[in-house]
Amino acid sequence: ASAQYQGRHGMVQGGLFGAAADTTHWAGASGSLGAMDGYVFAANRVTDGFALVSTDGAPGVPITVNHQPAGRTDGQGYLLVPNVPAYYPARYAIDPLSLPPDVHTPELERRVAVARGTGTLVRMPVLRMRTATLTLVDADGVPLPPGSAVMHEQGQVPTVVGWDGVVYLTALHTHNTLAARTPDGRECRAAFDAAEHAAQRDLRVVCRKGGTPPSAASAAGEAL
């Protein structure tokens, strides 16, 4: 008699043979152990190449490889794809329809090739959105005109200025920089920290021409 079980983390097998009074038992296991990006994993034997998909800590994110479901990321935001054809640029993608509405995915798919006998890290961040509403003004304190184009540089998320210089951001970072362009072609840059936004309900951020923009707090200090 013998039994064999193969799961995501490897294969184990065992059995016995012989007469009732003289039996021989045997057992074995096969698979792979690896570490990448500080993540230790066990998998079935890698015969060609492998890929480790990272969503930067977001769990339960569905991943497809070449349009076929490959699984969901674990509690640490990783999914191991153990059998990847070498030298072929495989398509790794996130299914956005099953994600909650309060997340931002800067990159929905990537095409990556691996060499034979090697692995690669495929990073596709899934960011929990922290929204912010602020007022964008020029150096004279005048709100930027409606329709001005704004690029949130950390998340690479475009938006526009509304009435009275109001700007709505959907992916707030610890430190944020904005690049703005008014309808008449004027360009400026601004910066603020998430802590400043939390401390002031009506945050006014100065957008200045060229150079590294000061934060809202330092701009207020200069004004004083």
Side-chain angles (χ1 to χ4, degrees):
S2 65
Q4 176 178 293
Y5 172 77
Q6 183 164 3
R8 290 182 54 198
H9 304 296
M11 182 179 67
V12 294
Q13 52 188 338
L16 59 88
F17 66 91
D22 184 16
T23 59
T24 300
H25 302 77
W26 61 273
S30 65
S32 303
L33 291 174
M36 179 180 286
D37 197 36
Y39 178 75
V40 179
F41 56 86
N44 288 293
R45 180 175 294 175
V46 175
T47 57
D48 206 344
F50 72 91
L52 184 64
V53 180
S54 170
T55 55
D56 281 3
V61 178
I63 305 294
T64 63
V65 180
N66 296 329
H67 305 283
Q68 299 298 318
R72 292 176 176 266
T73 55
D74 62 13
Q76 296 177 261
Y78 291 100
L79 173 67
L80 179 68
V81 184
N83 295 311
V84 176
Y87 308 111
Y88 174 77
R91 176 185 180 271
Y92 303 86
I94 294 174
D95 179 10
L97 297 181
S98 58
L99 296 179
D102 61 341
V103 299
H104 169 59
T105 51
E107 199 168 15
L108 286 176
E109 71 173 71
R110 290 189 62 190
R111 291 186 179 272
V112 181
V114 299
R116 188 179 304 277
T118 66
T120 185
L121 179 66
V122 182
R123 193 179 298 280
M124 292 189 292
V126 176
L127 308 174
R128 184 71 61 178
M129 289 196 302
R130 299 170 57 197
T131 61
T133 302
L134 53 92
T135 301
L136 207 57
V137 300
D138 60 19
D140 297 325
V142 179
L144 264 61
S148 298
V150 177
M151 174 62 74
H152 183 203
E153 296 180 325
Q154 280 65 40
Q156 288 298 298
V157 180
T159 185
V160 294
V161 177
W163 297 109
D164 300 321
V166 173
V167 176
Y168 178 69
L169 303 176
T170 58
L172 189 65
H173 289 237
T174 302
H175 180 70
N176 304 270
T177 56
L178 308 174
R181 183 183 180 89
T182 62
D184 59 2
R186 292 178 296 154
E187 296 182 353
C188 63
R189 298 185 69 234
F192 70 97
D193 293 333
E196 297 174 86
H197 178 265
Q200 303 180 48
R201 294 191 59 182
D202 185 18
L203 181 65
R204 296 173 68 86
V205 181
V206 179
C207 193
R208 300 178 181 273
K209 296 181 180 179
T212 302
S215 66
S218 62
E222 291 174 3
L224 294 175

